[in-house]
């Protein structure tokens, strides 16, 4: 797996896309639903939960974004244009705590959804770079 291309999607040299490896549309939606269910109910993710006023809207946006990022349909781009992730996240105070909670929650969601370990490792490696780039509060 390589870094995201200019559209934000993860480029693969050959073989199935991460979207296909994950299991396609239903699997992406189930992963996102698991992720937001965890954010909503587990106090370990309270700082990330506070950033998400409307969980249903957040679920949809992350699902749309990850679909395209993983190499599937570019649902987010069709609705909103280029992701411009950092610019869209600037209104939210994101520091080390929020980054780490987000990644911990996604790691747990992948585990609960039984994402193949090598794929989970690859995805989390890329997501960690993006999550760190989203930080706009230091310390």
């Amino acid at each position: 797996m390589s870094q995201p291309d200019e559209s934000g999607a993860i480029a693969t040299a050959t073989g199935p896309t991460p979207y296909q490896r994950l299991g396609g549309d239903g699997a992406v939606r189930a992963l996102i639903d698991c992720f937001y269910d965890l954010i909503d109910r587990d106090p370990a993710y309270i700082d990330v939960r506070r950033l998400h006023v409307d969980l249903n809207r957040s679920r949809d946006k992350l699902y749309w974004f990850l679909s395209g990022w993983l190499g599937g349909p570019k649902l987010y781009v069709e609705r909103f244009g280029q992701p411009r992730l950092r610019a869209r996240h600037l209104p939210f105070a994101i520091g080390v705590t929020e980054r780490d909670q987000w990644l911990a929650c996604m790691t747990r969601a992948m585990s609960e959804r039984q994402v193949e370990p090598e794929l989970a490792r690859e995805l989390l490696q890329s997501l960690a770079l993006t999550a760190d780039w989203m930080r706009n509060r230091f310390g």
Side-chain angles (χ1 to χ4, degrees):
M1 183 176 301
S2 63
Q3 294 299 317
D5 66 16
E6 63 277 355
S7 71
I10 296 176
T12 56
T14 59
T17 64
Y19 180 84
Q20 293 165 326
R21 290 173 62 196
L22 191 60
D25 183 70
V28 173
R29 178 52 93 172
L31 175 63
I32 299 311
D33 285 342
C34 181
F35 175 80
Y36 279 107
D37 289 347
L38 290 168
I39 281 179
D40 196 33
R41 75 171 185 254
D42 192 325
Y45 312 118
I46 191 68
D47 297 299
V48 173
R49 175 62 179 97
R50 287 185 186 126
L51 298 175
H52 296 84
V53 176
D54 182 348
L55 283 183
N56 289 328
R57 182 123 174 100
S58 296
R59 282 175 198 266
D60 287 341
K61 283 187 165 186
L62 186 57
Y63 160 72
W64 295 329
F65 172 76
L66 280 185
S67 290
W69 184 76
L70 292 166
K74 296 183 184 321
L75 304 173
Y76 187 94
V77 172
E78 291 170 3
R79 287 168 174 79
F80 304 105
Q82 290 303 317
R84 301 179 339 197
L85 292 178
R86 184 154 169 78
R88 293 183 195 269
H89 286 81
L90 280 176
F92 309 101
I94 301 171
V96 172
T97 299
E98 293 79 12
R99 176 203 63 195
D100 291 351
Q101 286 181 15
W102 195 97
L103 288 168
C105 188
M106 184 56 77
T107 299
R108 186 169 159 200
M110 284 192 199
S111 176
E112 288 192 12
R113 295 298 310 155
Q114 299 179 347
V115 173
E116 184 267 313
E118 178 63 19
L119 176 59
R121 185 191 64 73
E122 292 171 10
L123 294 177
L124 287 167
Q125 206 169 34
S126 292
L127 288 169
L129 294 172
T130 302
D132 194 54
W133 183 60
M134 291 297 139
R135 289 184 347 171
N136 54 33
R137 189 180 68 191
F138 298 93

